[in-house]
Structures are given as structure tokens and as C-alpha cells.
Amino acid sequence: MAETTTSTSSIPSVMKAAQQSNYGEIRSVLTLHDDVPVPRKLSSKEILVRIYAASINPIDWKLLNGNLSLISRFSFPHIPGSDMAGVVVDIGSAVKRFKLGDEVYGNAGISGGSYAEYVCANESIFALKPKNLTMEEAAAVPLACETSYQALFSKVSPAVGAGSKVFICGGSSATGFFAIQLAKAVGAQVATTCSQRNFSLLEKLGYKITQNKDEINNDQQQLLVIDYNAKDFGRELSGQNYDVVYDCVGGEQQWISAQQILKQGGQFITIVGDDTKSIVSLKSIASTTSTVIGRKLSSVFGSNHHGYIIHFLNQVPEELDDIRTNYIETGKVKPLIDTIYDWRKDGVEALHSLYEKSKSGKAQGKLILKIANEK
Ligand SMILES: NC(=O)c1ccc[n+]([C@@H]2O[C@H](COP(=O)([O-])OP(=O)(O)OC[C@H]3O[C@@H](n4cnc5c(N)ncnc54)[C@H](OP(=O)(O)O)[C@@H]3O)[C@@H](O)[C@H]2O)c1
């Protein structure tokens, strides 16, 4: 249980928080401060949350280095971070969904603010925290899990369900391992790409790995895995008639290979697109637009009618509620954690290492920033 604060008089006037001074390299622009004012003016629908843990997603370092500054400009200094878990310590006059002392989890989106001891944000970005998770585990869930939840259950049509055949590109990524568990939870048949070094990660979730498509049986714990360093999944599973390929890796090759395994009318949904660096410029917008239009046209006029969808998370608080009650508290979906960084012990180095490990693309589970102790 977290230490709950139900009296606003115990909220300090300043807090420890990360600050970004400009767009640029992690170690040049990211600092840690003890004297950042706690946001105390709440609008009617806002809540103030004492944060216990936060996590990082690739969007956080993409925002830091300015790759996305065309669509999201910060005023500096800026408090970065989006995923978090904590306790409600103050509420605006029209807040409906929470009361003081509630444990919550959520994602602050590109406006940031979660790498701090307190954040003030609209109640709509939060939901009650899953009771069976620690604060660190809960902070690992919101963005990655909800992105995959939306992709599989509301963006593809029909939604992934019992008997669907789903292929997930990047099963060891955070979005990937949540997607595997969500799809399995509704009875889909799932296969994925994952390097050999990460097979043990998927085994931690209780899956029995097979690399041979002819060994597939009705065991729901069985997972077909293609080692992407050794084989191309398109060639390996050619003609296997998948309903959906969900791409958590990006790059044109995922789409090329997907077309070899999708059934007629099957759908490819990507959360990355062809440009894995996600640099948003006028040129890249024009190029992505023409690629998407071309692929959508080929889904109508091409011989295989393969659907092509680029998906960006659009937060819906009821979805975090559904993830909590129907998937996490039932034990069907679990977060995996690689490292917990603690800035009270390691100072700014904890923050820099958090970003650098995420940027390396080699995390084996979620990377967490511990902000306060749970009691
Ligand atoms: N559109 C949206 O709303 C949205 C939301 C969330 C995330 N995203 C994007 O989705 C991507 C994944 O995010 P994430 O948080 O899930 O990433 P992550 O957890 O940081 O992914 C790291 C993992 O990806 C694996 N990987 C790297 N290259 C691979 C490949 N070619 N094939 C298979 N696996 C590979 C790595 O395994 P190895 O060590 O074996 O290489 C590692 O386990 C990022 O680009 C992110 O920006 C988009």
C-alpha cells in the first residue's frame, strides 16, 4: 500500500522533478532539481497526484531530442515523462471519478509531467490503479498496454477475438508483450517475432515457446516464435492466412513480410510506420501520407485487399478501467520490468540511464523510475 495523503496541508511547496532545458542530447538537456514548485492551482476537472513511480516509453526520448517538435513544441524548462502511478492528494471542484487517497495510474500524454513528485492533470487521463500491482508495476502499464488494447480490440475490424489468428511483430517489446497477453486472453492464436535472447522473457509470462509452425496445437499457453535475427517471418509463415498482423517494430520490411502471411482481406496495423526514427518534418509527413494512401488504395484495388492502418493511441479512461478489471486483476495480463531506477539513490544518473536504456532499444521489459517508497 502506498502512503496516502488526505490532507492538502501536508503537500510541500517545492518538489524533486526532472527538467528539460531544450531539445537535444539526453545528458546535455536533462537535469534534476529539488526546488520545482508543486502545481497548486487546480482547475475544476483537475486532480493533484503524488507520484510514486513513472515509466519511460520511446515517445519520451523522441520528444526530448526534438524529433517531434513540429507537432509538439514545449516551453522550457519542461517536466518530461508521461506514464505514472500515484495517490490523489487534491481534487478540483467538479472532479467526479476520484476522491482523496485513491490510488491511480495513467498517462499524461505529450504534455508530460510524470518525472516529478507531484503532477496536476485532468482527471480523464487517470483510472484506479490495479489492486494486485505495486506502484512500479502499475506505472509500467498505461501507454504500452492501452496502445495494444486499442489496436487489437477497436482499430481492426472485426476486433481480435476467439479463434483469430494474430501475428505480432516484436513480441519482446512492451507493446508487443502486452499485445500477446491481450490477444491470448480473448482466445486468439498468436505468433510473434522475438530474438533468441528474449525467449526467456516470454517464458516468464508462462508461455511454452515453439519455433515450429507444424507443432502448433490447441494449448493456449503455446506461443509460436520466429527468431527475427535468423528468419524472415513472411517467408517462414507464407500462406498461413493470418487475420491481423500487429507491428510494434516498424520499417517497410514488416509490411512486406506481413503481406505474405495475411489472408485475403486481412489487416496490417502498425504503431510505428516505415520510419523507425519517427522524425516528423514536412518532408516526412508528405512521404508518410503518400505511402499510406498508396497502401490504402491497394487494400481496395489490390488482389489481396490487405488493410493498412497506422495507429496512434487516443486515450480513453474507460479503457484503463477495462484493462484493470478484466485483464490485470484477473491475472491474464502482467507487466514485465527490466530495471527500476531510483533518483533518490543515484541522482540525475538514474534519469540519464533510464533514457539511454530505452533509446538503446534493448530493454527486456519496462524501465521504471521510482519516485517515492510505498508503505
Ligand atoms: N503509435 C503509438 O501510439 C505508439 C504507442 C506506443 C509505442 N509506439 C512505438 O512502438 C515502438 C515500440 O515501443 P515499445 O515501448 O513497445 O518498445 P520497447 O519496449 O522499447 O522495445 C524494445 C524491444 O524491441 C525488440 N526489437 C527491436 N527490434 C526488433 C525487430 N526488428 N523485431 C522484433 N523485435 C525487435 C527488442 O528486442 P531485441 O533486443 O531482441 O532486439 C526489445 O525487446 C516504438 O517505436 C514506439 O515509439 C507507438
Side-chain angles (χ1 to χ4, degrees):
M1 280 288 288
E3 172 195 4
T4 55
T5 311
T6 50
S7 160
T8 53
S9 62
S10 58
I11 301 167
S13 58
V14 292
M15 63 180 179
K16 194 187 272 293
Q19 285 196 331
Q20 179 185 346
S21 58
N22 205 335
Y23 298 113
E25 287 304 311
I26 295 161
R27 285 176 187 266
S28 334
V29 299
L30 204 54
T31 47
L32 186 58
H33 301 262
D34 284 318
D35 55 355
V36 176
V38 174
R40 292 300 285 120
K41 279 204 178 125
L42 273 58
S43 70
S44 61
K45 296 292 285 173
E46 285 182 330
I47 61 176
L48 183 69
V49 173
R50 168 72 167 112
I51 303 175
Y52 283 79
S55 77
I56 191 164
N57 294 285
I59 184 84
D60 295 307
W61 52 260
K62 291 175 186 175
L63 284 166
L64 187 93
N65 65 21
N67 282 7
L68 307 174
S69 57
L70 197 69
I71 50 170
S72 69
R73 282 214 79 77
F74 300 143
S75 56
F76 297 113
H78 166 78
I79 301 179
S82 55
D83 271 341
M84 65 188 125
V87 173
V88 178
V89 293
D90 199 4
I91 58 174
S93 57
V95 166
K96 296 257 184 326
R97 303 180 61 236
F98 304 107
K99 59 182 186 323
L100 294 183
D102 278 347
E103 296 190 348
V104 293
Y105 74 146
N107 181 278
I110 52 180
S111 49
S114 78
Y115 298 163
E117 289 176 324
Y118 292 85
V119 70
C120 166
N122 194 290
E123 65 169 336
S124 64
I125 67 162
F126 295 100
L128 289 176
K129 165 188 159 293
K131 289 192 190 75
N132 57 337
L133 298 188
T134 62
M135 287 287 180
E136 285 94 10
E137 289 167 337
V141 175
L143 185 123
C145 191
E146 193 182 356
T147 300
S148 295
Y149 174 100
Q150 265 179 12
L152 300 176
F153 300 153
S154 63
K155 294 293 165 183
V156 296
S157 177
V160 167
S164 307
K165 278 183 83 171
V166 182
F167 190 88
I168 294 164
C169 308
S172 64
S173 66
T175 44
F177 65 67
F178 280 123
I180 293 171
Q181 296 176 84
L182 290 163
K184 288 264 189 194
V186 297
Q189 186 184 315
V190 183
T192 189
T193 42
C194 175
S195 66
Q196 193 105 33
R197 81 177 190 114
N198 280 325
F199 284 8
S200 57
L201 197 70
L202 300 179
E203 281 164 349
K204 272 193 204 160
L205 294 171
Y207 298 123
K208 294 174 221 154
I209 304 247
T210 175
Q211 295 188 73
N212 182 352
K213 63 178 185 295
D214 300 322
E215 268 177 24
I216 288 292
N217 55 38
N218 287 330
D219 180 355
Q220 259 306 102
Q221 287 312 103
Q222 197 188 43
L223 183 65
L224 176 61
V225 176
I226 309 294
D227 176 2
Y228 75 87
N229 290 311
K231 288 175 182 160
D232 173 75
F233 72 86
R235 218 168 299 137
E236 190 63 13
L237 301 179
S238 176
Q240 292 288 305
N241 285 327
Y242 277 81
D243 297 291
V244 171
V245 173
Y246 174 43
D247 168 32
C248 305
V249 173
E252 191 183 8
Q253 188 57 44
Q254 307 300 320
W255 163 242
I256 292 169
S257 301
Q259 292 174 87
Q260 294 177 259
I261 73 166
L262 280 168
K263 69 176 190 186
Q264 175 112 358
Q267 294 160 90
F268 176 83
I269 179 160
T270 178
I271 56 171
V272 185
D274 284 1
D275 172 21
T276 51
K277 293 201 174 78
S278 309
I279 298 172
V280 178
S281 62
L282 292 176
K283 193 171 158 213
S284 74
I285 290 172
S287 143
T288 304
T289 307
S290 78
T291 303
V292 172
I293 291 172
R295 289 178 191 169
K296 283 196 181 289
L297 283 175
S298 93
S299 78
V300 179
F301 299 111
S303 56
N304 289 319
H305 302 288
H306 292 152
Y308 182 86
I309 303 164
I310 294 197
H311 168 52
F312 296 100
L313 173 67
N314 168 30
Q315 272 184 280
V316 180
E318 291 74 22
E319 292 182 346
L320 283 183
D321 285 332
D322 191 39
I323 288 170
R324 167 174 63 90
T325 52
N326 289 321
Y327 295 96
I328 295 183
E329 288 181 350
T330 56
K332 292 175 183 164
V333 171
K334 296 179 200 133
L336 290 168
I337 291 181
D338 175 317
T339 306
I340 299 178
Y341 298 91
D342 189 341
W343 66 17
R344 294 162 314 160
K345 204 156 58 79
D346 300 319
V348 73
E349 189 56 35
L351 199 60
H352 291 162
S353 304
L354 173 82
Y355 273 80
E356 284 169 351
K357 181 79 181 270
S358 175
K359 199 172 172 187
S360 75
K362 294 291 164 201
Q364 296 179 290
K366 289 287 297 182
L367 302 164
I368 307 295
L369 183 64
K370 186 183 179 88
I371 291 178
N373 281 339
E374 290 187 55
K375 277 204 170 161

